[in-house]
Amino acid sequence: MIRKISSSQVVNLTETLMSFTNTLICRVALGKDYGNEYHVVDEGLGCGQRSKLQVLLNEAQALLVEFYFSDHFPLLGWVDWLRGKLWRLEKNFKEFDKFYERVIYDHMNMNNNNKSNEKKVHDIIDIFLEMMNDHSLPFELSLDNIKAVLMNIFIAGTDASAATTVWAMNALMKSPKSMKKLQTEIRGLFGDKDFINEDDIQRLPYLKAVIKETLRMFPPSPLLLPRETIEECNIEGYEIKPKTLVYVNAWAIARDPKNWKDPEEFCPERFIENSSIDVRGNDFEVIPFGSGRRICPAMNMGLVTIEIALANLVHSFDWDLPIGFDKEEMFDTQVKPGITMHKKKDLFLVAKKHVM
Ligand code: HEM
């Protein structure tokens, strides 16, 4: 990503970061970057190429937030057919299914043909296939189960880390003081290095504070995942029936003036001064990863991804607004509709390589 940005004039950071997290998830889940095999959309923005997989994912995300009459008024389900919604769902499902079949069979063939000691990356599909063939387990895993979990990982894994890193860069561009402080921290310690790695990050408290503050103000899943009550309960005098759908507004909680001083202000220092508060689901004032049994299972991976991406973006480049763009408009904080809270306007910036 850093190399690609170095060779670009104006960078669409939104697209660049989506492509980065998509590649990462592909490598972890599938062993290689399938997304890079066929680029179908090149928007002429340098780094702004989107892979076919990303286009499929975008369509899946868009379909997930549509309103379906069948969900709420089953008798009116035919309206969804008329509006072409079910056709789009079916098409997206079939394309994903074809992709997963190909990837899973690729793995099966590779494992069968690779009886030698040749070293191969052990990815999530390999682990699932081993579980599928392990008859000592107390459950049976089917190919459909594997495809469903892959869908979960793709939908949940690509967007959140990319959206958060974009929000962090947006906030830093609006707050030059914080950007300077972060650059000074990173370059002061690692100015002579090309790449900031996972070990280096442990020595960057301000970077961690910037990310926590970003997750407080811009949690990518503001309503977490819906829950359903199991039994009747009473909350502050309100009787809640069993099987009630419950949404937790993590966004509102983290901006509640009862919990936070000047909650609308981007102030990473608050996490340095009050360093006992963390975003990992134990402090209920800020729960961007949710909490309890349903907490994000990839919280650590999400955090490390954002830390590495942001540290290297800020370490390698000085950032500016492209000529002709309006500052207020570019850095505004309006959001796109969707289950993940993305910045509405793609973030376009000019990256100037930093030379020590
Ligand atoms: C900044 C990064 C991330 C944030 C803020 C985030 C946030 C969340 C939240 C709020 C939930 C719902 C938890 C709840 O309702 O209590 C969730 C669930 C989930 N996340 Fe993440 N996530 C991130 C990164 C990732 C990544 C990188 C992956 C995959 C590699 C991932 C996979 C999942 C999955 C599979 C679920 C669903 C669990 C279930 O069905 O209950 N997340 N995430």
Side-chain angles (χ1 to χ4, degrees):
M1 177 177 73
I2 296 296
R3 223 176 292 129
K4 267 192 193 171
I5 293 176
S6 303
S7 60
S8 316
Q9 296 282 326
V10 175
V11 185
N12 179 342
L13 257 189
T14 307
E15 290 283 358
T16 306
L17 283 161
M18 280 296 283
S19 162
F20 165 68
T21 50
N22 191 248
T23 304
L24 202 74
I25 293 290
C26 277
R27 291 215 182 125
V28 174
L30 318 176
K32 69 172 183 175
D33 181 8
Y34 279 83
N36 255 348
E37 278 188 7
Y38 26 65
H39 279 109
V40 289
V41 187
D42 183 348
E43 290 163 73
L45 302 171
C47 294
Q49 276 189 332
R50 281 196 290 166
S51 70
K52 182 164 182 184
L53 186 58
Q54 267 175 272
V55 174
L56 271 184
L57 272 171
N58 287 355
E59 171 72 349
Q61 294 270 7
L63 286 165
L64 277 172
V65 293
E66 291 275 352
F67 178 86
Y68 297 95
F69 280 90
S70 347
D71 285 343
H72 306 278
F73 315 103
L75 286 178
L76 292 179
W78 54 271
V79 181
D80 294 329
W81 275 113
L82 274 188
R83 294 192 307 162
K85 292 270 158 78
L86 301 188
W87 177 82
R88 263 175 75 196
L89 272 176
E90 191 70 21
K91 182 166 177 283
N92 188 255
F93 163 76
K94 283 198 174 132
E95 286 185 51
F96 261 116
D97 196 60
K98 215 162 77 189
F99 172 70
Y100 291 142
E101 292 251 318
R102 187 190 134 198
V103 178
I104 293 171
Y105 285 112
D106 266 5
H107 276 69
M108 285 175 163
N109 285 338
M110 224 182 303
N111 293 346
N112 287 340
N113 297 337
N114 193 13
K115 299 262 179 318
S116 64
N117 289 334
E118 202 185 311
K119 210 164 179 258
K120 180 188 159 295
V121 180
H122 204 62
D123 56 49
I124 291 182
I125 298 195
D126 291 323
I127 297 170
F128 282 147
L129 289 176
E130 281 163 19
M131 288 168 83
M132 201 170 86
N133 295 326
D134 182 351
H135 301 292
S136 67
L137 292 175
F139 55 87
E140 275 190 23
L141 202 66
S142 67
L143 274 185
D144 277 351
N145 294 151
I146 298 181
K147 290 176 191 170
V149 181
L150 284 175
M151 193 74 199
N152 219 353
I153 292 174
F154 270 111
I155 296 270
T158 307
D159 259 21
S161 320
T164 309
T165 316
V166 169
W167 285 119
M169 282 299 287
N170 199 58
L172 289 170
M173 292 306 292
K174 282 178 83 171
S175 168
K177 214 176 77 201
S178 304
M179 174 67 102
K180 185 91 213 127
K181 199 163 166 181
L182 183 57
Q183 270 168 339
T184 308
E185 176 179 88
I186 301 176
R187 291 175 185 169
L189 279 173
F190 305 113
D192 52 342
K193 287 190 76 173
D194 282 342
F195 182 74
I196 311 295
N197 63 29
E198 280 181 61
D199 291 335
D200 303 334
I201 275 158
Q202 304 320 319
R203 298 172 59 196
L204 299 170
Y206 195 68
L207 172 81
K208 297 203 177 220
V210 165
I211 292 168
K212 286 180 193 169
E213 179 67 342
T214 305
L215 285 164
R216 180 188 71 80
M217 290 190 78
F218 309 102
S221 312
L223 298 179
L224 308 185
L225 288 176
R227 283 145 168 84
E228 197 183 76
T229 52
I230 300 170
E231 54 190 54
E232 193 164 320
C233 58
N234 190 305
I235 300 178
E236 294 190 0
Y238 292 93
E239 263 178 32
I240 317 284
K241 297 271 175 239
K243 294 192 89 53
T244 302
L245 203 57
V246 178
Y247 286 94
V248 178
N249 192 339
W251 180 91
I253 293 172
R255 290 185 182 227
D256 187 343
K258 279 195 233 129
N259 300 328
W260 301 95
K261 187 167 170 272
D262 302 325
E264 302 299 323
E265 245 168 63
F266 181 79
C267 174
E269 284 73 13
R270 68 174 93 233
F271 284 100
I272 306 245
E273 283 148 24
N274 191 352
S275 58
S276 64
I277 291 214
D278 204 357
V279 291
R280 292 169 182 262
N282 297 320
D283 301 296
F284 295 145
E285 302 89 333
V286 52
I287 45 168
F289 293 98
S291 189
R293 281 189 296 176
R294 210 162 181 196
I295 196 166
C296 174
M299 180 165 58
N300 288 330
M301 180 180 169
L303 280 170
V304 172
T305 305
I306 303 166
E307 285 165 2
I308 295 217
L310 189 64
N312 282 288
L313 289 174
V314 167
H315 169 261
S316 300
F317 305 103
D318 291 318
W319 296 91
D320 245 323
L321 187 71
I323 294 170
F325 281 74
D326 179 68
K327 193 173 162 193
E328 296 294 314
E329 221 177 282
M330 178 53 70
F331 301 145
D332 79 6
T333 51
Q334 287 189 56
V335 303
K336 269 188 204 153
I339 38 172
T340 304
M341 193 173 83
H342 279 282
K343 179 172 149 50
K344 187 169 180 185
K345 208 174 261 310
D346 280 10
L347 186 60
F348 283 90
L349 294 176
V350 176
K352 278 185 249 149
K353 187 88 188 132
H354 174 73
V355 193
M356 280 302 279

